[in-house]
Amino acid sequence: PMAWPFQKPVDKAEVTDYYDHIKYPMDLKTMTERLKNKYYVSKRLFVADMTRIFTNCKLYNQPETEYYHC
């Protein structure tokens, strides 16, 4: 249930400055596509993308936001 903010790419129309701050976005939809396309040839690549989701979230959002808490 806490994964809802990470399900799909951040919508630039809703968060206009997100891509100004986050140069390497990642989300679970993109990871699913990569998994289907056999991009993850090692556990390291998978973990790197998953870590990027959380790092981006913490970089962009303030600690008191619900996104940060998720």
Side-chain angles (χ1 to χ4, degrees):
M2 301 300 283
W4 65 266
F6 314 113
Q7 293 296 320
K8 58 185 178 154
V10 173
D11 184 348
K12 188 171 184 146
E14 293 178 21
V15 189
T16 56
D17 69 338
Y18 184 80
Y19 294 97
D20 295 334
H21 299 281
I22 303 300
K23 301 301 179 194
Y24 303 103
M26 187 51 59
D27 60 88
L28 295 173
K29 181 180 178 186
T30 301
M31 288 187 68
T32 299
E33 292 168 6
R34 286 182 168 193
L35 188 61
K36 289 177 184 175
N37 292 323
K38 301 185 184 335
Y39 170 82
Y40 298 116
V41 296
S42 70
K43 193 178 348 178
R44 183 176 166 205
L45 286 172
F46 180 86
V47 171
D49 276 354
M50 186 60 71
T51 302
R52 179 164 290 158
I53 291 174
F54 303 126
T55 301
N56 289 345
C57 182
K58 287 183 176 185
L59 284 172
Y60 185 78
N61 299 287
Q62 296 296 318
E64 53 279 345
T65 64
E66 65 181 324
Y67 302 103
Y68 192 97
H69 286 279
C70 286

